[in-house]
Amino acid sequence: MIWSRSDRFDPKARDLADRHYNRQKPGTDQFVPTGRCLVLFASTDTGRAFWVTSWPFAEYVKHAWPGAWVCSAFRNEGAGLSSELIQQAVSATRAYMGVPPPLGMVTFVNKSKVRWKRDFGYCYRMAGFEPCGETKGGLLALQLLPAQMPAPELPKGCLL
C-alpha cells in the first residue's frame, strides 16, 4: 500500500489539489467537499499523489448516482502508475468506509479540461472503471461496481 491517510487540511495534498483542474479556490486551506471523506496522500522517491473519496448523503446529490462513493479528486505527479494508485485508493476506501454502496464508486471527467486522449479517463478504465453516462453538465461519468473492486486494505498509518 503506497497511500497514507491524510486530511482535508493537509498542506502537502493541498499543493497538489491547487494544480488539479477542478479546484475552485486554489490556496484556500480546505480542498475537499463538505461531508464524509477519505483523503489519501502518497510520496515516493519519484513523485507525489493525492486522492479524495467523498461519500455525500444521497438526498443532497444532484447526479444520477446518489449514494455512490465519489472520487472527487485524484492527481498523480510521478508517484507511480495511475491505474495502480487508483486500485489501491479504492482498496483503502473499502477498508476505511466499509461495505461499498450498491452503486459502487463514480468519478467524473471534464473532457474539456484534460489533455486530449482517445479514451478519456484512461487510467480509471485501466483500474476497472466503466463509462456509465454523463452528468447534466456534460461530465463523463465512470463507475466501478462493488463486485469489481479490489479487496479492502487500510492505508498506512490508519488504525480502525
Side-chain angles (χ1 to χ4, degrees):
M1 175 62 67
I2 192 172
W3 295 108
S4 295
R5 184 169 170 223
S6 185
D7 64 69
R8 63 179 76 226
F9 296 101
D10 181 348
K12 297 181 307 288
R14 185 189 62 224
D15 289 345
L16 293 176
D18 282 349
R19 293 191 289 278
H20 194 277
Y21 72 80
N22 74 353
R23 181 79 154 113
Q24 294 180 1
K25 296 180 182 177
T28 56
D29 288 340
Q30 185 173 217
F31 56 91
V32 176
T34 58
R36 301 171 288 179
C37 68
L38 172 64
V39 179
L40 301 171
F41 182 79
S43 182
T44 68
D45 292 340
T46 58
R48 302 181 309 158
F50 90 106
W51 170 279
V52 177
T53 301
S54 301
W55 193 8
F57 291 101
E59 58 268 25
Y60 300 113
V61 170
K62 295 179 182 177
H63 56 69
W65 301 270
W69 291 334
V70 178
C71 169
S72 54
F74 168 59
R75 184 168 181 90
N76 177 17
E77 294 185 353
L81 188 62
S82 290
S83 59
E84 290 176 7
L85 293 172
I86 291 168
Q87 289 174 333
Q88 283 192 20
V90 172
S91 178
T93 299
R94 285 192 66 190
Y96 183 76
M97 294 187 171
V99 176
L103 292 175
M105 181 178 283
V106 294
T107 194
F108 306 105
V109 177
N110 185 335
K111 296 184 284 188
S112 70
K113 298 283 186 176
V114 296
R115 291 186 312 245
W116 186 88
K117 296 180 181 181
R118 188 180 75 210
D119 296 320
F120 289 101
Y122 181 77
C123 59
Y124 286 95
R125 294 171 194 237
M126 293 297 97
F129 283 71
E130 300 274 338
C132 61
E134 287 191 356
T135 66
K136 290 178 184 175
L139 301 177
L140 172 64
L142 300 162
Q143 181 178 38
L144 184 65
L145 293 171
Q148 279 68 52
M149 290 182 175
E153 182 181 349
L154 281 172
K156 294 188 285 187
C158 186
L159 303 173
L160 289 182

Short mmCIF file of all heavy atoms in Angstrom, two decimals, residues 120-144:
data_model
loop_
_atom_site.label_atom_id
_atom_site.label_comp_id
_atom_site.label_asym_id
_atom_site.label_seq_id
_atom_site.Cartn_x
_atom_site.Cartn_y
_atom_site.Cartn_z
N PHE A 120 -10.95 9.17 -22.82
CA PHE A 120 -10.93 10.00 -21.62
C PHE A 120 -11.11 9.12 -20.39
O PHE A 120 -11.89 8.17 -20.41
CB PHE A 120 -12.03 11.06 -21.70
CG PHE A 120 -11.75 12.12 -22.71
CD1 PHE A 120 -12.36 12.10 -23.94
CD2 PHE A 120 -10.85 13.13 -22.42
CE1 PHE A 120 -12.09 13.08 -24.88
CE2 PHE A 120 -10.57 14.12 -23.35
CZ PHE A 120 -11.19 14.08 -24.59
N GLY A 121 -10.39 9.43 -19.34
CA GLY A 121 -10.45 8.61 -18.13
C GLY A 121 -9.71 7.30 -18.28
O GLY A 121 -10.00 6.32 -17.59
N TYR A 122 -8.71 7.27 -19.15
CA TYR A 122 -8.00 6.02 -19.46
C TYR A 122 -7.45 5.33 -18.21
O TYR A 122 -7.60 4.12 -18.06
CB TYR A 122 -6.86 6.31 -20.45
CG TYR A 122 -6.09 5.07 -20.85
CD1 TYR A 122 -6.63 4.18 -21.77
CD2 TYR A 122 -4.84 4.81 -20.31
CE1 TYR A 122 -5.93 3.04 -22.14
CE2 TYR A 122 -4.14 3.67 -20.68
CZ TYR A 122 -4.69 2.79 -21.58
OH TYR A 122 -3.99 1.65 -21.95
N CYS A 123 -6.83 6.08 -17.30
CA CYS A 123 -6.25 5.43 -16.12
C CYS A 123 -7.34 4.82 -15.24
O CYS A 123 -7.14 3.76 -14.63
CB CYS A 123 -5.37 6.39 -15.33
SG CYS A 123 -6.19 7.86 -14.71
N TYR A 124 -8.51 5.45 -15.18
CA TYR A 124 -9.63 4.86 -14.44
C TYR A 124 -10.13 3.59 -15.13
O TYR A 124 -10.43 2.60 -14.46
CB TYR A 124 -10.79 5.86 -14.32
CG TYR A 124 -10.52 6.96 -13.33
CD1 TYR A 124 -9.99 8.18 -13.75
CD2 TYR A 124 -10.78 6.79 -11.98
CE1 TYR A 124 -9.74 9.19 -12.85
CE2 TYR A 124 -10.52 7.79 -11.07
CZ TYR A 124 -10.00 9.00 -11.51
OH TYR A 124 -9.75 9.98 -10.60
N ARG A 125 -10.20 3.63 -16.45
CA ARG A 125 -10.64 2.44 -17.20
C ARG A 125 -9.66 1.27 -16.97
O ARG A 125 -10.08 0.14 -16.81
CB ARG A 125 -10.74 2.75 -18.69
CG ARG A 125 -11.84 3.74 -19.01
CD ARG A 125 -11.73 4.19 -20.46
NE ARG A 125 -12.53 5.35 -20.73
CZ ARG A 125 -13.48 5.41 -21.65
NH1 ARG A 125 -13.76 4.36 -22.39
NH2 ARG A 125 -14.15 6.51 -21.84
N MET A 126 -8.37 1.58 -16.94
CA MET A 126 -7.38 0.53 -16.69
C MET A 126 -7.49 0.00 -15.25
O MET A 126 -7.06 -1.11 -14.98
CB MET A 126 -5.96 1.05 -16.95
CG MET A 126 -5.67 1.37 -18.40
SD MET A 126 -5.79 -0.09 -19.48
CE MET A 126 -7.43 0.05 -20.15
N ALA A 127 -8.08 0.79 -14.37
CA ALA A 127 -8.28 0.36 -12.97
C ALA A 127 -9.61 -0.36 -12.80
O ALA A 127 -9.95 -0.77 -11.69
CB ALA A 127 -8.21 1.56 -12.04
N GLY A 128 -10.40 -0.50 -13.87
CA GLY A 128 -11.65 -1.25 -13.82
C GLY A 128 -12.92 -0.43 -13.91
O GLY A 128 -14.02 -0.98 -13.98
N PHE A 129 -12.82 0.89 -13.92
CA PHE A 129 -14.00 1.75 -14.05
C PHE A 129 -14.55 1.63 -15.48
O PHE A 129 -13.79 1.47 -16.43
CB PHE A 129 -13.65 3.21 -13.77
CG PHE A 129 -13.48 3.55 -12.32
CD1 PHE A 129 -12.39 3.10 -11.60
CD2 PHE A 129 -14.41 4.36 -11.67
CE1 PHE A 129 -12.21 3.43 -10.26
CE2 PHE A 129 -14.26 4.70 -10.34
CZ PHE A 129 -13.15 4.23 -9.63
N GLU A 130 -15.88 1.73 -15.58
CA GLU A 130 -16.55 1.66 -16.88
C GLU A 130 -17.33 2.95 -17.11
O GLU A 130 -17.95 3.47 -16.18
CB GLU A 130 -17.54 0.48 -16.89
CG GLU A 130 -16.92 -0.88 -16.65
CD GLU A 130 -16.39 -1.51 -17.91
OE1 GLU A 130 -16.84 -1.11 -19.00
OE2 GLU A 130 -15.51 -2.38 -17.80
N PRO A 131 -17.37 3.44 -18.35
CA PRO A 131 -18.22 4.60 -18.64
C PRO A 131 -19.68 4.24 -18.35
O PRO A 131 -20.13 3.13 -18.65
CB PRO A 131 -18.02 4.84 -20.14
CG PRO A 131 -16.72 4.16 -20.46
CD PRO A 131 -16.61 3.00 -19.52
N CYS A 132 -20.40 5.16 -17.72
CA CYS A 132 -21.79 4.87 -17.35
C CYS A 132 -22.72 6.04 -17.66
O CYS A 132 -23.85 6.07 -17.16
CB CYS A 132 -21.88 4.47 -15.89
SG CYS A 132 -21.33 5.74 -14.74
N GLY A 133 -22.27 7.00 -18.44
CA GLY A 133 -23.13 8.11 -18.81
C GLY A 133 -22.44 9.44 -18.65
O GLY A 133 -21.21 9.51 -18.55
N GLU A 134 -23.26 10.47 -18.62
CA GLU A 134 -22.76 11.84 -18.43
C GLU A 134 -23.67 12.55 -17.45
O GLU A 134 -24.84 12.22 -17.32
CB GLU A 134 -22.76 12.61 -19.76
CG GLU A 134 -21.68 12.20 -20.71
CD GLU A 134 -21.54 13.15 -21.90
OE1 GLU A 134 -22.35 14.10 -22.02
OE2 GLU A 134 -20.63 12.93 -22.70
N THR A 135 -23.11 13.55 -16.80
CA THR A 135 -23.91 14.40 -15.91
C THR A 135 -24.68 15.40 -16.78
O THR A 135 -24.40 15.55 -17.97
CB THR A 135 -23.01 15.18 -14.93
OG1 THR A 135 -22.21 16.10 -15.67
CG2 THR A 135 -22.14 14.24 -14.12
N LYS A 136 -25.63 16.09 -16.16
CA LYS A 136 -26.39 17.11 -16.89
C LYS A 136 -25.46 18.19 -17.42
O LYS A 136 -25.74 18.80 -18.45
CB LYS A 136 -27.45 17.73 -15.98
CG LYS A 136 -28.57 16.78 -15.66
CD LYS A 136 -29.59 17.41 -14.73
CE LYS A 136 -30.65 16.40 -14.34
NZ LYS A 136 -31.58 16.93 -13.35
N GLY A 137 -24.34 18.42 -16.74
CA GLY A 137 -23.36 19.41 -17.18
C GLY A 137 -22.38 18.90 -18.22
O GLY A 137 -21.48 19.63 -18.63
N GLY A 138 -22.51 17.65 -18.64
CA GLY A 138 -21.67 17.10 -19.69
C GLY A 138 -20.39 16.42 -19.25
O GLY A 138 -19.53 16.11 -20.06
N LEU A 139 -20.23 16.16 -17.94
CA LEU A 139 -19.04 15.45 -17.47
C LEU A 139 -19.19 13.96 -17.76
O LEU A 139 -20.27 13.39 -17.56
CB LEU A 139 -18.84 15.66 -15.97
CG LEU A 139 -18.67 17.09 -15.49
CD1 LEU A 139 -18.55 17.12 -13.97
CD2 LEU A 139 -17.48 17.76 -16.14
N LEU A 140 -18.12 13.33 -18.20
CA LEU A 140 -18.11 11.90 -18.41
C LEU A 140 -18.12 11.20 -17.05
O LEU A 140 -17.32 11.52 -16.18
CB LEU A 140 -16.85 11.48 -19.18
CG LEU A 140 -16.60 9.99 -19.33
CD1 LEU A 140 -17.70 9.32 -20.14
CD2 LEU A 140 -15.23 9.76 -19.96
N ALA A 141 -19.05 10.27 -16.85
CA ALA A 141 -19.14 9.52 -15.60
C ALA A 141 -18.54 8.13 -15.81
O ALA A 141 -18.83 7.46 -16.81
CB ALA A 141 -20.59 9.40 -15.15
N LEU A 142 -17.70 7.72 -14.87
CA LEU A 142 -17.10 6.39 -14.86
C LEU A 142 -17.44 5.74 -13.54
O LEU A 142 -17.42 6.39 -12.50
CB LEU A 142 -15.58 6.49 -15.03
CG LEU A 142 -15.11 7.15 -16.32
CD1 LEU A 142 -13.67 7.60 -16.19
CD2 LEU A 142 -15.25 6.20 -17.48
N GLN A 143 -17.75 4.45 -13.58
CA GLN A 143 -18.24 3.75 -12.38
C GLN A 143 -17.49 2.44 -12.18
O GLN A 143 -17.19 1.73 -13.13
CB GLN A 143 -19.74 3.48 -12.55
CG GLN A 143 -20.40 2.79 -11.40
CD GLN A 143 -21.89 2.61 -11.65
OE1 GLN A 143 -22.32 2.33 -12.78
NE2 GLN A 143 -22.69 2.76 -10.62
N LEU A 144 -17.24 2.14 -10.92
CA LEU A 144 -16.67 0.86 -10.51
C LEU A 144 -17.66 0.23 -9.55
O LEU A 144 -17.89 0.75 -8.45
CB LEU A 144 -15.31 1.06 -9.83
CG LEU A 144 -14.56 -0.21 -9.44
CD1 LEU A 144 -14.17 -1.02 -10.67
CD2 LEU A 144 -13.32 0.14 -8.61
#
